[in-house]
Amino acid sequence: MEKEIIETYAFNPEDYYDGRRKSDGKTFRDEVKVFERDFHQRHSGDYALNLYANSATMRLLEKSCGAASFLS
């Protein structure tokens, strides 16, 4: 039987402009990497199979990754 692992990572979308954090210019993509590393440290034998996010989060990630506008 599989176990269910739920981790919640939060951020303030108002701290970002055009995919980068206003205070230090760190991309949201890099912030997601921090979340992924944290998850792996907590659950080294497991993989995060799904990322659930709202549409505002996904738009921020698109901007951070430099996705073309037609992909949005």
Side-chain angles (χ1 to χ4, degrees), residues 8-71:
T8 302
Y9 296 92
F11 68 97
N12 184 355
E14 294 174 2
D15 291 342
Y16 291 83
Y17 174 75
D18 204 26
R20 294 188 171 272
R21 192 164 42 206
K22 295 174 186 175
S23 62
D24 60 5
K26 183 178 183 179
T27 66
F28 184 66
R29 179 181 179 191
D30 287 336
E31 187 68 13
V32 171
K33 287 180 188 177
V34 170
F35 298 160
E36 290 174 339
R37 288 185 186 114
D38 180 74
F39 182 91
H40 182 68
Q41 287 177 350
R42 292 173 188 242
H43 312 285
S44 60
D46 298 294
Y47 294 93
L49 298 177
N50 296 299
L51 170 67
Y52 296 100
N54 63 29
S55 59
T57 302
M58 296 312 293
R59 278 193 302 275
L60 184 56
L61 188 56
E62 288 171 1
K63 287 180 184 178
S64 178
C65 292
S69 59
F70 68 86
L71 296 173

